[in-house]
Amino acid sequence: MAELPKATIKRVFKDVGAERVAGDVPDAVNKIVEEVAKGAVKSCEADGRKTVSADDLRLVVVVQ
């Protein structure tokens, strides 16, 4: 499975104000993104669609 680059994840946290980012954060973020993606795909398929939408993502994030 594709993963977001660790440096990119750390930069996102620093850009929003984190002074330091622990080494395990990028792995945790990648796991969270994978679970959200899986949920969005399930939502899409349940609606009989092939294209995942932002609404599918919102549904997964709000429901969890």
Side-chain angles (χ1 to χ4, degrees), residues 12-48:
V12 168
F13 279 88
K14 288 185 176 188
D15 285 351
V16 297
E19 290 186 31
R20 298 177 71 192
V21 180
D24 60 346
V25 169
D27 291 333
V29 169
N30 276 315
K31 287 179 184 176
I32 291 167
V33 169
E34 183 178 340
E35 291 304 313
V36 169
K38 287 178 183 177
V41 169
K42 285 182 183 178
S43 171
C44 171
E45 290 173 346
D47 283 349

